[in-house]
């Protein structure tokens, strides 16, 4: 079984009980992602175990995002590439929800349009989800457009693993690299925050609702993905507002503990460290959906 970390109380049981490896649908919300979507989809296709389907949900894109996905679907007719349009509302949450609603897999892999999955990502996620006590997974990432890290296999595993342990009061998920069991999503779908004002971290919100429902979130160090560090191109004030979404999300649920402030402080330190150490390679300056 793929190595995963779950709370101590469940380790003995999860080591004994497994089920057949479930199918995985990949859901990719996208808004004006013509600079990154092809690389993202191709990495999703180059898997040691194929995903059941690769769903790109276009959220009012005005660039060539949809045309690129259509071209890839024609070039790979047996890969299960699906292009959906979610034009009812602008935003990540309704776009993600539309993808989840359309997905047919037993597990919903949720990544960003700039995510580049490692070749064994689907296999590792599927094997980890063979443990029926795991409702959702998250893992480490590398940053492929930071020169100091571009050719390095080093990921943020140590930092993210540490944050996961610190956050056991409320385990977190990372939207660029996460998966949730379809049944777990169905259990929280109608209570997850719609975030109409775009103030929260939607992935953290999912983790909170999963915990409140008694569904376990696990961390898998083998569940690796590359992501763009393009958010570090933001202004300091914009990035500060982004990191304060952690506090806003936990506060909205009445959760307050010093350990939950660690992600904000670590990200702010990373922001200044990387900006002073190197210059990002050219990349899309568009924000995530």
């Amino acid at each position: 079984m793929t190595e995963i970390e779950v709370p101590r109380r469940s380790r003995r049981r999860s080591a004994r009980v497994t089920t057949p490896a479930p199918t995985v649908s990949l859901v990719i919300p996208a808004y004006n992602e013509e600079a990154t979507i092809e690389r993202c989809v191709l990495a999703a296709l180059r898997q040691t175990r194929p995903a059941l389907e690769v769903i790109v949900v276009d959220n009012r894109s005005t660039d060539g995002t949809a045309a690129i996905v259509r071209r890839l679907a024609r070039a790979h007719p047996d890969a299960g590439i699906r292009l959906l349009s979610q034009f009812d509302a602008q935003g990540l949450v309704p776009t993600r929800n539309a993808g989840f609603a359309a997905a047919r897999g037993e597990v919903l892999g949720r990544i960003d349009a700039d995510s580049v999955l490692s070749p064994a990502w689907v296999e590792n996620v599927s094997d980890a989800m063979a443990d029926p006590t795991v409702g959702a997974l998250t893992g480490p990432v590398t940053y492929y457009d930071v020169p100091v890290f571009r050719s390095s296999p080093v990921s943020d595993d140590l930092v993210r693993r540490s944050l996961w342990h610190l956050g056991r009061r409320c385990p977190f998920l990372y939207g660029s690299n996460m998966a949730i069991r379809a049944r777990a999503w169905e259990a929280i779908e109608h209570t997850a925050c719609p975030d109409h004002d775009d103030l929260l971290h939607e992935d953290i919100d999912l983790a909170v609702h999963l915990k409140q429902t008694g569904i376990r979130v696990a961390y898998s160090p083998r569940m690796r993905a590359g992501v763009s560090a393009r958010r570090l191109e933001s202004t300091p004030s914009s990035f500060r507002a982004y990191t304060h979404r952690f506090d806003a999300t936990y506060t909205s649920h009445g959760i307050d503990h010093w350990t939950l402030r660690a992600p904000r402080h670590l990200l702010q330190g990373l922001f200044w460290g990387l900006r002073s150490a190197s210059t990002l390679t050219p990349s899309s300056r568009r924000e995530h959906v």
Side-chain angles (χ1 to χ4, degrees):
M1 179 186 296
T2 298
E3 178 189 0
I4 58 173
E5 295 195 18
V6 294
R8 293 179 185 275
R9 66 180 180 274
S10 68
R11 286 180 179 172
R12 181 175 300 174
R13 179 167 49 144
S14 64
R16 288 200 306 257
V17 181
T18 60
T19 58
T23 56
V24 177
S25 293
L26 286 170
V27 175
I28 309 168
Y31 167 65
N32 286 352
E33 296 286 2
E34 65 180 9
T36 61
I37 193 64
E38 182 166 7
R39 177 189 290 185
C40 175
V41 172
L42 288 177
L45 299 185
R46 295 167 182 158
Q47 294 289 306
T48 56
R49 182 181 300 168
L52 177 67
E53 56 192 349
V54 178
I55 302 173
V56 178
V57 190
D58 178 21
N59 180 212
R60 299 180 176 177
S61 293
T62 57
D63 66 356
T65 298
I68 292 170
V69 176
R70 292 190 190 98
R71 172 170 56 79
L72 291 171
R74 289 194 299 268
H76 304 274
D78 299 323
I81 299 173
R82 300 171 61 193
L83 175 65
L84 306 180
S85 296
Q86 193 290 105
F87 281 21
D88 292 340
Q90 188 75 58
L92 176 54
V93 170
T95 306
R96 174 202 70 194
N97 292 356
F100 281 3
R104 298 183 288 245
E106 298 165 275
V107 172
L108 312 176
R110 214 300 258 156
I111 61 175
D112 285 332
D114 66 341
S115 299
V116 178
L117 301 181
S118 61
W121 193 92
V122 171
E123 181 176 1
N124 286 326
V125 167
S126 182
D127 287 348
M129 285 289 193
D131 179 344
T133 71
V134 176
L137 283 171
T138 197
V141 298
T142 58
Y143 300 92
Y144 55 72
D145 54 3
V146 178
V148 70
F149 295 140
R150 189 185 304 128
S151 60
S152 171
V154 176
S155 71
D156 66 355
D157 175 56
L158 180 60
V159 171
R160 204 162 293 278
R161 188 193 297 255
S162 299
L163 288 175
W164 188 85
H165 281 285
L166 283 173
R168 278 184 176 177
R169 289 176 177 270
C170 187
F172 67 90
L173 292 165
Y174 182 35
S176 294
N177 185 20
M178 62 164 278
I180 181 171
R181 200 180 297 275
R183 291 198 306 272
W185 166 243
E186 291 168 2
I188 66 170
E189 177 180 3
H190 299 295
T191 58
C193 298
D195 194 20
H196 296 302
D197 297 324
D198 193 24
L199 299 175
L200 310 179
H201 277 315
E202 56 86 25
D203 43 8
I204 303 294
D205 178 68
L206 289 184
V208 172
H209 284 283
L210 288 168
K211 182 175 177 62
Q212 291 174 340
T213 311
I215 298 172
R216 294 190 179 94
V217 175
Y219 177 81
S220 174
R222 295 183 183 177
M223 180 184 171
R224 295 182 178 232
V227 298
S228 170
R230 59 186 176 175
R231 195 173 290 281
L232 298 181
E233 297 175 305
S234 305
T235 63
S237 61
S238 177
F239 191 81
R240 191 178 305 112
Y242 165 75
T243 60
H244 275 281
R245 286 174 178 252
F246 286 99
D247 293 345
T249 307
Y250 290 125
T251 299
S252 71
H253 290 282
I255 300 171
D256 183 23
H257 191 267
W258 70 268
T259 59
L260 301 179
R261 302 186 187 99
R264 170 165 60 89
H265 295 304
L266 282 171
L267 282 172
Q268 289 176 355
L270 178 67
F271 175 80
W272 290 110
L274 289 179
R275 281 174 74 99
S276 62
S278 61
T279 302
L280 292 175
T281 59
S283 65
S284 170
R285 292 181 179 272
R286 304 181 184 92
E287 297 289 339
H288 291 285
V289 176

